[in-house]
Amino acid sequence: MPPVTPDAPGEGTPRGTAAGKARRWGSLARQALAGERESRGAPGCRATMCELYSKQDTLALRRKHIGPSCKVFFAADPIKIVRAQGQYMFDERGEQYLDCINNVAHVGHCHPEVVTAALKQMELLNTNSRFLHDNIVEYARRLSATLPETLSVCYFTNSGSEANDLALRLARQFRGHQDVITLDHAYHGHLSSLIEISPYKFRKGKDVKKEFVHVAPTPDTYRGKYREDHADPAGAYADEVKKIIEEAHNSGRKIAAFIAESMQSCGGQIIPPAGYFQKVAEYVHRAGGVFIADEVQVGFGRVGKHFWSFQMHGEDFVPDIVTMGKPMGNGHPMACVVTTKEIAEAFSSSGMEYFNTYGGNPVSSAIGLAVLNVIESEDLQGNATRVGDYLTELLNKQKAKHTLIGDIRGIGLFIGIDLVKDQQKRTPATDEAEHVIYKMKEKQVLLSADGPHRNVLKIKPPMCFTEEDAKFMVDQLDEILTVVEEAIGAKSESMTSENTPCRTKMPNEAQSELLSEGTSDPRENPSRKRNGLCTDKHSLLSKRLKT
């Protein structure tokens, strides 16, 4: 694991920034862990908080009382996490894991300033937002200051799903239109209104696409319809949206909104080509619709150079509605919709009052303010740029070494590793990706896989992630990919000719076992079981690889 030593700042890292503070957190965590081990005479007391149940009892109770569709990470061998600090998580035995996937604990797990802010406000007051209170207006003021001037009206909610649902209401009320354009493989939340506009979900169930929903191709320049060798992929993908609008109008339908994550997460860490959003916004506005930028996964400085991911597309692009959630409260349930005065006034003119019992309550607002303060005081945007650039550099070196890596893409601390069986055909390496995330877990590094083929390794860690963490993660990945490639006959060198393509193949016997035993329904999309959830295929591959 990366060193968790006291105050020494990282190489080239000023004291007081994310890297230095992460080390101090690590030191405190280690001291606490030492204390735990000394006090383990008490039955069940294996962490800062005593465990109520053994791991097996916890699993049994979960199976009994928690809905079967509520999956856990690494279901074939789940981890029981009892506490966390900074970018590290700890299981019931005190084992430390490097968290590379938790974009919810944005400024670091259990950040002391966030915890203190919550505690202090909770001791004073927590009530709903119909009473006047300074916290909600101060937070709205601070939040609005990070956005373009026209985005100045806030509606607070408790989750990204609530925020996106409200965004659809705002859009539909604005001009009375109903139809929504969404991107293929998109996921915008778990409410019924959002499952309807989330192909990531509705394509996998029994639901059919609703008539008012229009699906545009994902602007993926690696595996999509228009790739990096296209003269103008942004224009070509935007023209697909234009065609959808024209077809909708020809059918007598009207577009209320185009909604997209500023960078698609569940869809496979997709970065839209430059100019795409501007052109789409032009077509949507011409049709009387609004542009909704979903920043629930990717906002609050994750891209480094900008506070919001949509801002990387340039100052000439400003969405009409922005939604945000996950990182906003650092694990506390908190979300928001920010829009223009014009859209807000149209929503108010309906005569229906909007009220959310817990949205923007004093405790949530205090927590949100603390998160903003930490992002600024610890220069977490700068850290995302520095560490993200370093990590991308390391991964690109791995790409040159490993034929399983087809593409490295991302910005800041939002990075995807696209694993492929064949670099020319870009055939998704789904089974290999699942095997890799389980093996990384054994090396105490937590990763997940997603995308339409579940072959993209997702890296979106807490923003206090350091260069040492990045190096450690990549070193473990290198070892695992080397073993996998040797075991399945992959060649280490890059392809030298189109006539002699270098392909990553699994032995026929193992491949047939995986295909026959991995899923019961051959029609099932492999992305249905995400993030290493609920499948035994990795164990079959592991037996073949003998790692």
Side-chain angles (χ1 to χ4, degrees):
M1 291 293 290
V4 280
T5 53
D7 295 335
E11 188 175 315
T13 305
R15 186 180 299 274
T17 58
K21 293 201 175 187
R23 284 179 183 76
R24 288 194 286 282
W25 287 12
S27 179
L28 291 171
R30 174 164 282 184
Q31 292 169 23
L33 184 57
E36 288 167 22
R37 286 170 173 160
E38 290 176 6
S39 65
R40 283 189 181 176
C45 288
R46 301 178 183 179
T48 305
M49 287 182 61
C50 289
E51 288 182 88
L52 294 176
Y53 307 103
S54 69
K55 181 176 178 178
Q56 290 307 312
D57 288 345
T58 300
L59 277 169
L61 285 167
R62 185 179 177 101
R63 293 189 190 106
K64 181 178 181 179
H65 295 297
I66 306 301
S69 57
C70 302
K71 307 298 184 182
V72 295
F73 284 125
F74 310 106
D77 182 24
I79 309 172
K80 184 176 183 181
I81 296 296
V82 297
R83 68 183 176 85
Q85 196 77 51
Q87 64 272 47
Y88 303 108
M89 304 182 84
F90 299 85
D91 68 12
E92 80 282 6
R93 299 169 300 167
E95 294 295 332
Q96 175 181 295
Y97 293 86
L98 178 62
D99 182 1
C100 300
I101 60 176
N102 209 318
N103 62 334
V104 178
H106 191 63
V107 301
H109 292 279
C110 304
H111 193 288
E113 291 185 34
V114 178
V115 172
T116 299
L119 177 62
K120 286 184 175 179
Q121 183 56 51
M122 197 171 287
E123 288 177 332
L124 288 174
L125 170 73
N126 198 25
T127 186
N128 68 60
S129 57
R130 292 196 184 200
F131 294 101
L132 281 178
H133 196 276
D134 289 345
N135 284 7
I136 186 172
V137 293
E138 174 61 6
Y139 186 70
R141 184 189 70 81
R142 290 276 304 277
L143 188 66
S144 298
T146 67
L147 290 155
E149 188 175 356
T150 55
L151 294 166
S152 60
V153 182
C154 301
Y155 296 87
F156 291 103
T157 66
N158 308 288
S159 72
S161 291
E162 278 189 67
N164 281 329
D165 177 77
L166 178 57
L168 291 182
R169 289 177 59 191
L170 290 167
R172 285 170 167 155
Q173 177 64 31
F174 185 49
R175 298 199 191 280
H177 300 178
Q178 291 299 311
D179 287 25
V180 177
I181 302 173
T182 187
L183 294 177
D184 204 2
H185 313 308
Y187 174 63
H188 294 290
H190 62 80
L191 300 182
S192 296
S193 63
L194 303 173
I195 296 296
E196 290 174 345
I197 64 165
S198 296
Y200 181 89
K201 290 289 186 181
F202 74 64
R203 289 198 191 284
K204 299 167 195 170
K206 295 181 180 179
D207 293 342
V208 295
K209 184 177 75 66
K210 300 294 191 294
E211 190 178 7
F212 59 81
V213 176
H214 310 275
V215 179
T218 303
D220 179 358
T221 58
Y222 178 70
R223 186 174 277 109
K225 186 174 182 179
Y226 308 108
R227 300 187 176 184
E228 71 275 5
D229 57 353
H230 191 281
D232 180 18
Y237 278 117
D239 284 345
E240 295 285 338
V241 176
K242 184 181 179 182
K243 291 175 189 175
I244 287 172
I245 293 171
E246 290 170 351
E247 290 171 3
H249 286 177
N250 291 338
S251 300
R253 308 197 67 86
K254 295 181 178 180
I255 304 299
F258 172 91
I259 184 170
E261 290 181 277
S262 300
M263 299 187 295
Q264 204 173 49
S265 182
C266 290
Q269 311 293 87
I270 304 300
I271 316 299
Y276 172 70
F277 278 169
Q278 284 92 331
K279 292 178 180 179
V280 169
E282 177 187 342
Y283 299 146
V284 171
H285 289 155
R286 195 183 301 165
V290 301
F291 193 112
I292 303 172
D294 180 344
E295 293 268 340
V296 171
Q297 296 251 26
V298 296
F300 291 88
R302 180 158 293 277
V303 296
K305 293 181 181 178
H306 303 283
F307 200 82
W308 303 104
S309 296
F310 73 80
Q311 291 171 321
M312 68 185 178
H313 294 278
E315 294 183 1
D316 59 336
F317 170 68
V318 178
D320 305 290
I321 300 172
V322 176
T323 59
M324 56 197 74
K326 294 184 187 299
M328 192 172 182
N330 209 52
H332 179 83
M334 187 177 184
C336 187
V337 180
V338 185
T339 189
T340 66
K341 288 183 179 179
E342 184 182 13
I343 292 174
E345 288 170 0
F347 187 58
S348 178
S349 69
S350 69
M352 182 186 296
E353 178 185 359
Y354 176 76
F355 169 61
N356 189 309
T357 303
Y358 299 108
N361 67 71
V363 171
S364 294
S365 297
I367 290 170
L369 285 165
V371 170
L372 293 181
N373 290 340
V374 172
I375 292 172
E376 182 177 353
S377 66
E378 297 186 9
D379 188 28
L380 292 184
Q381 279 187 253
N383 190 65
T385 297
R386 289 186 295 272
V387 178
D389 288 349
Y390 176 66
L391 177 54
T392 300
E393 179 185 347
L394 293 178
L395 290 172
N396 277 317
K397 290 179 181 177
Q398 295 300 312
K399 180 176 181 289
K401 178 179 179 180
H402 295 290
T403 55
L404 271 170
I405 299 179
D407 190 36
I408 302 296
R409 53 181 177 264
I411 300 173
L413 287 175
F414 182 86
I415 299 171
I417 307 171
D418 199 310
L419 298 187
V420 298
K421 295 174 184 285
D422 183 310
Q423 288 193 343
Q424 286 185 322
K425 295 181 178 179
R426 304 183 181 186
T427 310
T430 300
D431 298 325
E432 291 83 351
E434 182 179 29
H435 178 79
V436 167
I437 64 173
Y438 272 90
K439 284 297 176 184
M440 289 292 279
K441 178 178 75 75
E442 290 179 13
K443 291 179 177 289
Q444 295 172 279
V445 178
L446 303 182
L447 283 175
S448 64
D450 219 326
H453 307 285
R454 245 196 74 244
N455 69 304
V456 180
L457 305 182
K458 299 170 67 172
I459 304 173
K460 46 186 181 64
M463 297 273 281
C464 53
F465 204 71
T466 68
E467 290 186 1
E468 289 84 356
D469 298 324
K471 180 69 165 56
F472 177 78
M473 188 215 78
V474 173
D475 285 347
Q476 309 316 303
L477 181 64
D478 179 24
E479 289 181 15
I480 291 168
L481 291 179
T482 298
V483 173
V484 170
E485 289 176 343
E486 289 174 352
I488 62 179
K491 297 178 182 179
S492 298
E493 66 274 7
S494 299
M495 292 184 298
T496 57
S497 166
E498 290 188 4
N499 295 324
T500 56
C502 176
R503 297 181 181 178
T504 301
K505 289 187 177 180
M506 193 182 304
N508 291 336
E509 183 184 358
Q511 196 169 36
S512 62
E513 280 186 0
L514 288 170
L515 292 174
S516 63
E517 299 186 36
T519 57
S520 58
D521 185 352
R523 298 167 298 173
E524 183 176 54
N525 188 317
S527 67
R528 184 168 191 167
K529 298 189 179 81
R530 53 184 290 223
N531 294 332
L533 301 179
C534 204
T535 165
D536 293 327
K537 290 189 290 183
H538 93 99
S539 60
L540 289 168
L541 185 55
S542 181
K543 289 176 185 176
R544 292 290 165 189
L545 297 171
K546 300 185 185 301
T547 55

